[in-house]
Amino acid sequence: MAVNVSIRVVDQTVCIQLSGELDASSVQELKGGLEQIFTTSPSRIVLELQALVYMASAGVRLLLMLKQRAGAAAQLLIVGAQGPVLQTLRATGVHHGVTLLDSLPEDLAAVPQRASA
Amino acid sequence: MRGQSFPGTLDSLAPIRALVLQEAAAAGLEEQARYRLCLAVDEIVTNTIIHGYTEAGRTGTVELEVWQAKGSLIVELEDTGAPCNLMERQLPTPEELERPLEERPVGGLGLFLVMQSVDVFFHENLGLKNRTLLIMQGGRETIGGGET
């Protein structure tokens, strides 16, 4: 199982939906495509992980990279991380630097999701 | 005992995980333990492929063997990549794990997750080979025996 990504932009927020498995191989495939999100200098990045079933340290490093590229002032929200993926985020301390949510913030939930990858 | 040789490329990560999952399930490991073992194997193999082969300008294979002994499930990994002394790697400190994400050092997370995931981790360099053992010890369930 590889990883699937879909990205949508809502004002200054970039929502990235990741599903499948995030390992060193799939992160390598993803990375180039994610660069585009920084052209708009988003103030908020929302990672939707409801359908992500596996995350290796490469996935954690990807999150660190996203936050570092977005800058200290930008917010990183992680929505729907579950089970062992959530455990990995906690074990590696990522939960200290992000907001973990069960569902999308209201302002985003209201926007119809038409994904553009 | 189940053994297989894989190319030392990132394409091998998913099939290796699939094999480990299959063997762990057959051995009676419960779901969380299967995930943890897969994760640990994945991290070691990723390290081998990236640091042992690609960055060192080498190519080679990852040899994987899985077997049961005395209520434990053992995964043995061997490669002919550049020597990397995993036993001496620096792991992130608790303080580092709490830093703001922009200030986090990125190294050491893979091995850190290995340590968190398995009961026993052993690594050695045997001259031309690197060898790693990952062991999940049987808990309440009996690995390899008993009724589930």
Side-chain angles (χ1 to χ4, degrees):
Chain A
M1 196 198 300
V3 71
N4 287 310
V5 58
S6 74
I7 300 171
R8 63 188 176 116
V9 179
V10 181
D11 300 326
Q12 289 290 94
T13 297
V14 175
C15 296
I16 305 171
Q17 222 174 51
L18 292 172
S19 60
E21 300 183 348
L22 210 51
D23 64 9
S25 176
S26 52
V27 165
Q28 199 178 66
E29 288 173 23
L30 268 185
K31 254 187 179 167
L34 289 179
E35 274 302 318
Q36 60 170 297
I37 73 175
F38 299 106
T39 54
T40 56
S41 302
S43 59
R44 188 170 59 162
I45 298 177
V46 178
L47 286 174
E48 297 174 71
L49 303 185
Q50 298 90 331
L52 193 70
V53 298
Y54 177 81
M55 182 188 284
S57 67
V60 177
R61 279 192 294 280
L62 179 68
L63 300 194
L64 296 181
M65 183 277 286
L66 287 175
K67 183 63 171 75
Q68 285 168 8
R69 289 281 276 121
Q75 260 194 307
L76 181 57
L77 273 56
I78 295 181
V79 178
Q82 300 165 43
V85 171
L86 180 58
Q87 276 179 33
T88 293
L89 293 176
R90 289 190 181 282
T92 53
V94 167
H95 63 297
H96 291 300
V98 307
T99 304
L100 292 173
L101 297 172
D102 291 330
S103 54
L104 280 174
E106 274 183 34
D107 64 312
L108 292 173
V111 177
Q113 297 201 26
R114 209 155 38 118
S116 62
Chain B
M1 155 114 77
R2 175 77 191 269
Q4 196 167 329
S5 179
F6 293 86
T9 57
L10 292 178
D11 289 345
S12 294
L13 292 178
I16 285 173
R17 287 200 304 274
L19 175 59
V20 171
L21 258 183
Q22 197 183 314
E23 293 299 307
L29 242 60
E30 53 91 20
E31 192 179 345
Q32 285 186 31
R34 297 200 297 265
Y35 184 100
R36 291 201 318 268
L37 179 60
C38 258
L39 179 61
V41 172
D42 188 358
E43 296 294 348
I44 296 295
V45 174
T46 297
N47 182 77
T48 294
I49 291 167
I50 293 177
H51 302 297
Y53 288 131
T54 308
E55 287 179 354
R58 299 190 189 190
T59 58
T61 59
V62 173
E63 306 296 316
L64 171 74
E65 278 188 8
V66 187
W67 75 93
Q68 297 170 26
K70 295 185 181 174
S72 293
L73 187 65
I74 302 162
V75 176
E76 182 176 17
L77 294 160
E78 279 189 1
D79 66 87
T80 53
C84 44
N85 203 336
L86 294 183
M87 302 300 270
E88 289 177 8
R89 283 275 185 88
Q90 285 279 50
L91 298 179
T93 63
E95 182 272 329
E96 280 171 352
L97 292 177
E98 291 185 14
R99 280 197 207 155
L101 300 196
E102 338 45 89
E103 295 173 25
R104 291 277 300 268
V106 290
L109 282 176
L111 194 57
F112 174 76
L113 286 176
V114 171
M115 301 301 202
Q116 295 262 313
S117 299
V118 296
D119 297 312
V120 180
F121 161 74
F122 175 75
H123 176 82
E124 62 180 349
N125 175 257
L126 301 161
L128 296 176
K129 272 190 201 179
N130 295 297
R131 179 172 174 254
T132 303
L133 288 174
L134 298 167
I135 302 175
M136 298 295 274
Q137 288 165 338
R140 291 184 164 212
E141 78 285 354
T142 305
I143 288 183
E147 313 226 70
T148 46

